[in-house]
Amino acid sequence: MLITHDTRCALDTVVALVNTAPDRAQDGDTDGDSGGATTPDTLATVPTLADFVEKYEISDVGVLSEHDLAAVRAVRDRFAEVFAAPDPHSAASLINELVAAAGTTPRLTDHDGYDWHVHYFAPGASVADHLAADCGMALAFFVVAGEQERLRRCEAPDCRHAFVDLSRNRSRRYCDSRTCGNRLHVAAYRARRKEAAAG
């Protein structure tokens, strides 16, 4: 699957955005009613939103406010639903709602020294609409390509971070093989050794 630079940037941004949400206990709870958060919300204040905007080079963003923070967190929740969508139809429906609500206006740009690429957000859009439009379209390309299953959650029981599986054979199971993957491999190895020693 060919992924352009701007699509890759949007994918990195949407994954990072989804992963700012607090992790919840893995009992199927999605509304936070049972089980406490295991990691804090890292998008909890306007300054943390400003840091996110700067880190991910989100352009054309004015002065940020509490309203922007609430709107971005609402968009984040909808993107989390896309990563949890059980099938392409569900993912497409969620993405369509996000992109339509953002009022997309595709246009070519080569700002800040980047090569030509497409911005989908309307001029003067809020940061939430900017994220919904550009990141929503990046996710839409995966649904169009029949690759929605690449939008995943880490299989490590104590992680559950979102990631996009860009491996050739769609085999990636962990958000980071050096941390989550290695931890689980080491734990499995120790369990096998303990079982062998006991037997």
Side-chain angles (χ1 to χ4, degrees), residues 83-139:
F83 277 84
D87 56 65
H89 290 287
S90 302
S93 178
L94 290 162
I95 293 167
N96 282 341
E97 289 173 18
L98 275 162
V99 171
T104 55
T105 307
R107 67 192 193 286
L108 286 164
T109 181
D110 65 345
H111 66 89
D112 297 327
Y114 290 104
D115 288 336
W116 288 104
H117 59 283
V118 180
H119 278 182
Y120 293 96
F121 61 94
S126 69
V127 65
D129 285 346
H130 179 145
L131 290 167
D134 278 7
C135 295
M137 289 305 300
L139 296 178

Short mmCIF file of all heavy atoms in Angstrom, two decimals, residues 83-139:
data_model
loop_
_atom_site.label_atom_id
_atom_site.label_comp_id
_atom_site.label_asym_id
_atom_site.label_seq_id
_atom_site.Cartn_x
_atom_site.Cartn_y
_atom_site.Cartn_z
N PHE A 83 -10.75 2.88 15.55
CA PHE A 83 -9.78 1.81 15.80
C PHE A 83 -10.44 0.57 16.40
O PHE A 83 -9.91 -0.53 16.29
CB PHE A 83 -8.65 2.31 16.71
CG PHE A 83 -7.58 3.03 15.95
CD1 PHE A 83 -7.70 4.38 15.65
CD2 PHE A 83 -6.43 2.38 15.53
CE1 PHE A 83 -6.73 5.06 14.94
CE2 PHE A 83 -5.45 3.03 14.82
CZ PHE A 83 -5.59 4.38 14.52
N ALA A 84 -11.60 0.74 17.02
CA ALA A 84 -12.32 -0.40 17.61
C ALA A 84 -13.39 -0.95 16.69
O ALA A 84 -14.03 -1.95 17.02
CB ALA A 84 -12.96 0.05 18.93
N ALA A 85 -13.58 -0.32 15.53
CA ALA A 85 -14.65 -0.73 14.63
C ALA A 85 -14.47 -2.19 14.20
O ALA A 85 -13.37 -2.59 13.81
CB ALA A 85 -14.68 0.17 13.40
N PRO A 86 -15.54 -2.98 14.26
CA PRO A 86 -15.43 -4.41 13.95
C PRO A 86 -15.33 -4.74 12.46
O PRO A 86 -14.95 -5.85 12.11
CB PRO A 86 -16.71 -4.99 14.55
CG PRO A 86 -17.69 -3.86 14.51
CD PRO A 86 -16.89 -2.62 14.73
N ASP A 87 -15.69 -3.78 11.61
CA ASP A 87 -15.70 -4.07 10.17
C ASP A 87 -15.59 -2.77 9.38
O ASP A 87 -15.76 -1.68 9.94
CB ASP A 87 -16.97 -4.83 9.78
CG ASP A 87 -18.23 -4.07 10.20
OD1 ASP A 87 -18.46 -2.97 9.66
OD2 ASP A 87 -18.97 -4.57 11.07
N PRO A 88 -15.29 -2.87 8.08
CA PRO A 88 -15.13 -1.66 7.26
C PRO A 88 -16.37 -0.77 7.21
O PRO A 88 -16.24 0.45 7.17
CB PRO A 88 -14.80 -2.22 5.87
CG PRO A 88 -14.22 -3.57 6.12
CD PRO A 88 -14.94 -4.09 7.33
N HIS A 89 -17.57 -1.36 7.22
CA HIS A 89 -18.78 -0.54 7.17
C HIS A 89 -18.90 0.34 8.41
O HIS A 89 -19.25 1.52 8.32
CB HIS A 89 -20.02 -1.43 7.03
CG HIS A 89 -20.14 -2.07 5.69
ND1 HIS A 89 -20.48 -1.38 4.55
CD2 HIS A 89 -19.93 -3.36 5.30
CE1 HIS A 89 -20.48 -2.19 3.52
NE2 HIS A 89 -20.15 -3.41 3.94
N SER A 90 -18.60 -0.22 9.57
CA SER A 90 -18.64 0.55 10.81
C SER A 90 -17.59 1.65 10.79
O SER A 90 -17.86 2.80 11.16
CB SER A 90 -18.41 -0.36 12.02
OG SER A 90 -19.36 -1.38 12.07
N ALA A 91 -16.37 1.31 10.36
CA ALA A 91 -15.29 2.30 10.30
C ALA A 91 -15.65 3.41 9.32
O ALA A 91 -15.47 4.59 9.61
CB ALA A 91 -13.98 1.63 9.89
N ALA A 92 -16.19 3.03 8.15
CA ALA A 92 -16.56 4.02 7.14
C ALA A 92 -17.63 4.97 7.66
O ALA A 92 -17.56 6.18 7.43
CB ALA A 92 -17.05 3.32 5.88
N SER A 93 -18.60 4.45 8.36
CA SER A 93 -19.67 5.29 8.90
C SER A 93 -19.11 6.32 9.88
O SER A 93 -19.46 7.51 9.83
CB SER A 93 -20.72 4.41 9.58
OG SER A 93 -21.73 5.20 10.16
N LEU A 94 -18.22 5.88 10.77
CA LEU A 94 -17.61 6.79 11.74
C LEU A 94 -16.76 7.85 11.05
O LEU A 94 -16.83 9.04 11.38
CB LEU A 94 -16.75 5.99 12.72
CG LEU A 94 -17.50 5.09 13.70
CD1 LEU A 94 -16.57 4.04 14.30
CD2 LEU A 94 -18.14 5.94 14.80
N ILE A 95 -15.96 7.41 10.09
CA ILE A 95 -15.09 8.36 9.36
C ILE A 95 -15.93 9.35 8.57
O ILE A 95 -15.64 10.56 8.57
CB ILE A 95 -14.11 7.60 8.45
CG1 ILE A 95 -13.11 6.80 9.30
CG2 ILE A 95 -13.37 8.56 7.53
CD1 ILE A 95 -12.30 5.78 8.51
N ASN A 96 -16.98 8.87 7.92
CA ASN A 96 -17.86 9.78 7.16
C ASN A 96 -18.45 10.86 8.06
O ASN A 96 -18.51 12.04 7.68
CB ASN A 96 -18.98 9.00 6.49
CG ASN A 96 -18.53 8.28 5.24
OD1 ASN A 96 -17.49 8.60 4.66
ND2 ASN A 96 -19.28 7.29 4.81
N GLU A 97 -18.90 10.47 9.25
CA GLU A 97 -19.46 11.45 10.19
C GLU A 97 -18.42 12.48 10.60
O GLU A 97 -18.71 13.68 10.65
CB GLU A 97 -20.01 10.73 11.42
CG GLU A 97 -21.26 9.93 11.17
CD GLU A 97 -21.68 9.10 12.38
OE1 GLU A 97 -21.21 9.40 13.50
OE2 GLU A 97 -22.48 8.16 12.20
N LEU A 98 -17.22 12.02 10.92
CA LEU A 98 -16.15 12.93 11.34
C LEU A 98 -15.79 13.92 10.24
O LEU A 98 -15.70 15.13 10.47
CB LEU A 98 -14.90 12.13 11.72
CG LEU A 98 -14.82 11.60 13.13
CD1 LEU A 98 -13.79 10.48 13.22
CD2 LEU A 98 -14.47 12.72 14.09
N VAL A 99 -15.59 13.40 9.04
CA VAL A 99 -15.15 14.24 7.92
C VAL A 99 -16.26 15.21 7.51
O VAL A 99 -16.00 16.39 7.24
CB VAL A 99 -14.69 13.35 6.75
CG1 VAL A 99 -14.44 14.18 5.50
CG2 VAL A 99 -13.42 12.60 7.14
N ALA A 100 -17.50 14.74 7.49
CA ALA A 100 -18.62 15.62 7.13
C ALA A 100 -18.79 16.74 8.15
O ALA A 100 -19.01 17.90 7.78
CB ALA A 100 -19.90 14.82 7.00
N ALA A 101 -18.70 16.41 9.43
CA ALA A 101 -18.86 17.43 10.47
C ALA A 101 -17.75 18.47 10.43
O ALA A 101 -17.94 19.61 10.84
CB ALA A 101 -18.91 16.76 11.84
N ALA A 102 -16.58 18.07 9.91
CA ALA A 102 -15.45 19.00 9.85
C ALA A 102 -15.58 20.00 8.71
O ALA A 102 -14.86 21.00 8.68
CB ALA A 102 -14.14 18.22 9.71
N GLY A 103 -16.47 19.74 7.77
CA GLY A 103 -16.63 20.66 6.64
C GLY A 103 -15.39 20.72 5.78
O GLY A 103 -14.78 21.76 5.63
N THR A 104 -15.03 19.61 5.20
CA THR A 104 -13.78 19.53 4.45
C THR A 104 -13.79 20.39 3.19
O THR A 104 -14.81 20.55 2.53
CB THR A 104 -13.47 18.07 4.05
OG1 THR A 104 -14.59 17.57 3.33
CG2 THR A 104 -13.20 17.21 5.26
N THR A 105 -12.63 20.93 2.88
CA THR A 105 -12.41 21.71 1.66
C THR A 105 -11.02 21.35 1.13
O THR A 105 -10.04 22.02 1.44
CB THR A 105 -12.48 23.23 1.95
OG1 THR A 105 -13.70 23.52 2.62
CG2 THR A 105 -12.38 24.04 0.68
N PRO A 106 -10.90 20.26 0.36
CA PRO A 106 -9.58 19.83 -0.10
C PRO A 106 -8.89 20.91 -0.92
O PRO A 106 -9.51 21.57 -1.76
CB PRO A 106 -9.88 18.61 -0.97
CG PRO A 106 -11.22 18.14 -0.51
CD PRO A 106 -11.97 19.37 -0.10
N ARG A 107 -7.59 21.10 -0.63
CA ARG A 107 -6.81 22.05 -1.41
C ARG A 107 -5.34 21.67 -1.37
O ARG A 107 -4.86 21.13 -0.38
CB ARG A 107 -7.01 23.48 -0.91
CG ARG A 107 -6.47 23.76 0.46
CD ARG A 107 -6.97 25.11 0.98
NE ARG A 107 -6.25 25.55 2.15
CZ ARG A 107 -6.38 25.05 3.37
NH1 ARG A 107 -7.20 24.05 3.58
NH2 ARG A 107 -5.69 25.52 4.38
N LEU A 108 -4.64 21.94 -2.45
CA LEU A 108 -3.21 21.68 -2.54
C LEU A 108 -2.43 22.79 -1.85
O LEU A 108 -2.78 23.97 -1.95
CB LEU A 108 -2.78 21.59 -4.00
CG LEU A 108 -3.18 20.31 -4.73
CD1 LEU A 108 -3.04 20.51 -6.22
CD2 LEU A 108 -2.32 19.16 -4.24
N THR A 109 -1.36 22.41 -1.16
CA THR A 109 -0.51 23.39 -0.50
C THR A 109 0.93 22.89 -0.45
O THR A 109 1.18 21.68 -0.50
CB THR A 109 -1.01 23.68 0.94
OG1 THR A 109 -0.19 24.66 1.55
CG2 THR A 109 -1.04 22.42 1.78
N ASP A 110 1.87 23.81 -0.39
CA ASP A 110 3.29 23.46 -0.23
C ASP A 110 3.93 24.33 0.85
O ASP A 110 5.05 24.78 0.73
CB ASP A 110 4.04 23.58 -1.57
CG ASP A 110 4.10 25.02 -2.07
OD1 ASP A 110 3.34 25.88 -1.56
OD2 ASP A 110 4.92 25.29 -2.97
N HIS A 111 3.20 24.51 1.92
CA HIS A 111 3.63 25.42 2.98
C HIS A 111 4.86 24.91 3.73
O HIS A 111 5.17 23.72 3.75
CB HIS A 111 2.48 25.64 3.98
CG HIS A 111 2.10 24.40 4.74
ND1 HIS A 111 2.70 24.05 5.92
CD2 HIS A 111 1.21 23.43 4.46
CE1 HIS A 111 2.18 22.92 6.36
NE2 HIS A 111 1.27 22.52 5.48
N ASP A 112 5.56 25.84 4.37
CA ASP A 112 6.66 25.55 5.30
C ASP A 112 7.73 24.63 4.72
O ASP A 112 8.34 23.83 5.44
CB ASP A 112 6.13 24.95 6.61
CG ASP A 112 5.22 25.93 7.34
OD1 ASP A 112 5.47 27.14 7.25
OD2 ASP A 112 4.26 25.48 7.99
N GLY A 113 7.98 24.73 3.43
CA GLY A 113 9.05 23.95 2.82
C GLY A 113 8.69 22.50 2.49
O GLY A 113 9.54 21.75 2.02
N TYR A 114 7.45 22.09 2.72
CA TYR A 114 7.03 20.73 2.36
C TYR A 114 6.63 20.69 0.90
O TYR A 114 6.15 21.68 0.35
CB TYR A 114 5.85 20.28 3.23
CG TYR A 114 6.23 20.04 4.67
CD1 TYR A 114 5.89 20.96 5.65
CD2 TYR A 114 6.95 18.91 5.04
CE1 TYR A 114 6.24 20.75 6.98
CE2 TYR A 114 7.30 18.69 6.36
CZ TYR A 114 6.95 19.61 7.32
OH TYR A 114 7.31 19.41 8.62
N ASP A 115 6.79 19.53 0.27
CA ASP A 115 6.34 19.36 -1.11
C ASP A 115 4.82 19.46 -1.15
O ASP A 115 4.14 19.47 -0.12
CB ASP A 115 6.78 18.00 -1.65
CG ASP A 115 8.28 17.95 -1.93
OD1 ASP A 115 8.88 19.02 -2.15
OD2 ASP A 115 8.83 16.83 -1.91
N TRP A 116 4.28 19.49 -2.36
CA TRP A 116 2.84 19.59 -2.54
C TRP A 116 2.13 18.44 -1.84
O TRP A 116 2.53 17.29 -1.93
CB TRP A 116 2.48 19.59 -4.02
CG TRP A 116 2.85 20.87 -4.70
CD1 TRP A 116 3.91 21.07 -5.52
CD2 TRP A 116 2.18 22.12 -4.58
NE1 TRP A 116 3.95 22.38 -5.93
CE2 TRP A 116 2.89 23.05 -5.36
CE3 TRP A 116 1.05 22.55 -3.88
CZ2 TRP A 116 2.51 24.37 -5.48
CZ3 TRP A 116 0.67 23.87 -4.00
CH2 TRP A 116 1.40 24.76 -4.79
N HIS A 117 1.08 18.81 -1.13
CA HIS A 117 0.25 17.81 -0.47
C HIS A 117 -1.15 18.40 -0.32
O HIS A 117 -1.37 19.58 -0.61
CB HIS A 117 0.83 17.40 0.89
CG HIS A 117 1.00 18.52 1.86
ND1 HIS A 117 2.05 19.44 1.77
CD2 HIS A 117 0.28 18.89 2.94
CE1 HIS A 117 1.94 20.32 2.75
NE2 HIS A 117 0.87 20.01 3.48
N VAL A 118 -2.10 17.57 0.10
CA VAL A 118 -3.49 18.00 0.21
C VAL A 118 -3.85 18.24 1.66
O VAL A 118 -3.59 17.41 2.52
CB VAL A 118 -4.45 16.94 -0.39
CG1 VAL A 118 -5.90 17.40 -0.26
CG2 VAL A 118 -4.10 16.67 -1.84
N HIS A 119 -4.43 19.41 1.92
CA HIS A 119 -5.08 19.67 3.20
C HIS A 119 -6.58 19.50 2.97
O HIS A 119 -7.12 20.00 2.00
CB HIS A 119 -4.81 21.10 3.69
CG HIS A 119 -3.50 21.26 4.37
ND1 HIS A 119 -3.09 22.45 4.91
CD2 HIS A 119 -2.50 20.38 4.63
CE1 HIS A 119 -1.90 22.31 5.45
NE2 HIS A 119 -1.52 21.06 5.29
N TYR A 120 -7.22 18.81 3.88
CA TYR A 120 -8.66 18.57 3.74
C TYR A 120 -9.49 19.51 4.60
O TYR A 120 -10.67 19.67 4.36
CB TYR A 120 -8.99 17.11 4.08
CG TYR A 120 -8.40 16.17 3.08
CD1 TYR A 120 -7.17 15.56 3.30
CD2 TYR A 120 -9.05 15.90 1.88
CE1 TYR A 120 -6.61 14.71 2.36
CE2 TYR A 120 -8.51 15.06 0.94
CZ TYR A 120 -7.28 14.47 1.18
OH TYR A 120 -6.73 13.64 0.24
N PHE A 121 -8.88 20.15 5.59
CA PHE A 121 -9.64 21.04 6.46
C PHE A 121 -9.87 22.37 5.77
O PHE A 121 -9.08 22.82 4.94
CB PHE A 121 -8.91 21.24 7.79
CG PHE A 121 -7.55 21.88 7.67
CD1 PHE A 121 -7.38 23.25 7.80
CD2 PHE A 121 -6.43 21.09 7.44
CE1 PHE A 121 -6.14 23.84 7.68
CE2 PHE A 121 -5.17 21.67 7.33
CZ PHE A 121 -5.03 23.05 7.45
N ALA A 122 -10.98 23.01 6.10
CA ALA A 122 -11.32 24.29 5.50
C ALA A 122 -10.43 25.40 6.06
O ALA A 122 -10.00 25.33 7.22
CB ALA A 122 -12.79 24.62 5.80
N PRO A 123 -10.13 26.42 5.28
CA PRO A 123 -9.35 27.55 5.81
C PRO A 123 -10.05 28.13 7.04
O PRO A 123 -11.26 28.31 7.05
CB PRO A 123 -9.35 28.54 4.64
CG PRO A 123 -9.57 27.71 3.43
CD PRO A 123 -10.47 26.60 3.86
N GLY A 124 -9.28 28.40 8.07
CA GLY A 124 -9.83 28.96 9.30
C GLY A 124 -10.50 27.93 10.20
O GLY A 124 -11.15 28.29 11.19
N ALA A 125 -10.36 26.64 9.87
CA ALA A 125 -11.00 25.59 10.67
C ALA A 125 -10.41 25.54 12.07
O ALA A 125 -9.24 25.88 12.29
CB ALA A 125 -10.81 24.24 9.99
N SER A 126 -11.21 25.09 13.01
CA SER A 126 -10.72 24.87 14.36
C SER A 126 -9.73 23.71 14.34
O SER A 126 -9.69 22.92 13.39
CB SER A 126 -11.88 24.53 15.30
OG SER A 126 -12.39 23.25 14.98
N VAL A 127 -8.94 23.60 15.40
CA VAL A 127 -7.98 22.50 15.47
C VAL A 127 -8.70 21.15 15.47
O VAL A 127 -8.22 20.19 14.86
CB VAL A 127 -7.04 22.66 16.69
CG1 VAL A 127 -7.79 22.56 18.01
CG2 VAL A 127 -5.91 21.64 16.64
N ALA A 128 -9.86 21.06 16.09
CA ALA A 128 -10.62 19.80 16.10
C ALA A 128 -11.07 19.43 14.69
O ALA A 128 -10.95 18.27 14.26
CB ALA A 128 -11.82 19.89 17.03
N ASP A 129 -11.59 20.41 13.93
CA ASP A 129 -12.02 20.15 12.56
C ASP A 129 -10.82 19.83 11.67
O ASP A 129 -10.91 18.98 10.77
CB ASP A 129 -12.79 21.34 11.99
CG ASP A 129 -14.20 21.43 12.56
OD1 ASP A 129 -14.67 20.45 13.17
OD2 ASP A 129 -14.84 22.48 12.38
N HIS A 130 -9.70 20.49 11.93
CA HIS A 130 -8.47 20.21 11.18
C HIS A 130 -8.09 18.73 11.37
O HIS A 130 -7.84 18.01 10.40
CB HIS A 130 -7.36 21.13 11.71
CG HIS A 130 -6.04 20.95 11.07
ND1 HIS A 130 -5.18 21.98 10.84
CD2 HIS A 130 -5.39 19.85 10.62
CE1 HIS A 130 -4.08 21.53 10.27
NE2 HIS A 130 -4.18 20.23 10.14
N LEU A 131 -8.06 18.28 12.62
CA LEU A 131 -7.71 16.89 12.92
C LEU A 131 -8.73 15.92 12.34
O LEU A 131 -8.36 14.89 11.76
CB LEU A 131 -7.58 16.69 14.43
CG LEU A 131 -6.38 17.37 15.08
CD1 LEU A 131 -6.54 17.38 16.60
CD2 LEU A 131 -5.09 16.66 14.68
N ALA A 132 -10.02 16.25 12.50
CA ALA A 132 -11.07 15.36 11.99
C ALA A 132 -10.96 15.20 10.48
O ALA A 132 -11.08 14.08 9.96
CB ALA A 132 -12.44 15.90 12.37
N ALA A 133 -10.70 16.29 9.78
CA ALA A 133 -10.62 16.24 8.32
C ALA A 133 -9.38 15.52 7.83
O ALA A 133 -9.47 14.53 7.09
CB ALA A 133 -10.68 17.66 7.75
N ASP A 134 -8.20 15.99 8.23
CA ASP A 134 -6.97 15.42 7.71
C ASP A 134 -6.74 13.99 8.20
O ASP A 134 -6.39 13.09 7.43
CB ASP A 134 -5.77 16.30 8.06
CG ASP A 134 -5.60 17.46 7.09
OD1 ASP A 134 -6.48 17.65 6.23
OD2 ASP A 134 -4.58 18.17 7.18
N CYS A 135 -6.92 13.75 9.48
CA CYS A 135 -6.71 12.41 10.02
C CYS A 135 -7.83 11.46 9.57
O CYS A 135 -7.58 10.29 9.29
CB CYS A 135 -6.63 12.45 11.54
SG CYS A 135 -5.19 13.37 12.15
N GLY A 136 -9.04 11.99 9.49
CA GLY A 136 -10.15 11.16 8.99
C GLY A 136 -9.90 10.69 7.57
O GLY A 136 -10.16 9.52 7.25
N MET A 137 -9.40 11.57 6.72
CA MET A 137 -9.12 11.17 5.34
C MET A 137 -7.98 10.16 5.27
O MET A 137 -8.02 9.24 4.46
CB MET A 137 -8.81 12.40 4.48
CG MET A 137 -10.02 13.28 4.21
SD MET A 137 -11.42 12.42 3.46
CE MET A 137 -10.69 11.84 1.94
N ALA A 138 -6.99 10.31 6.14
CA ALA A 138 -5.89 9.33 6.16
C ALA A 138 -6.43 7.94 6.51
O ALA A 138 -6.06 6.94 5.88
CB ALA A 138 -4.82 9.75 7.16
N LEU A 139 -7.32 7.89 7.49
CA LEU A 139 -7.93 6.60 7.85
C LEU A 139 -8.85 6.10 6.74
O LEU A 139 -8.95 4.89 6.50
CB LEU A 139 -8.70 6.74 9.17
CG LEU A 139 -7.86 7.07 10.40
CD1 LEU A 139 -8.75 7.23 11.62
CD2 LEU A 139 -6.79 6.02 10.65
#
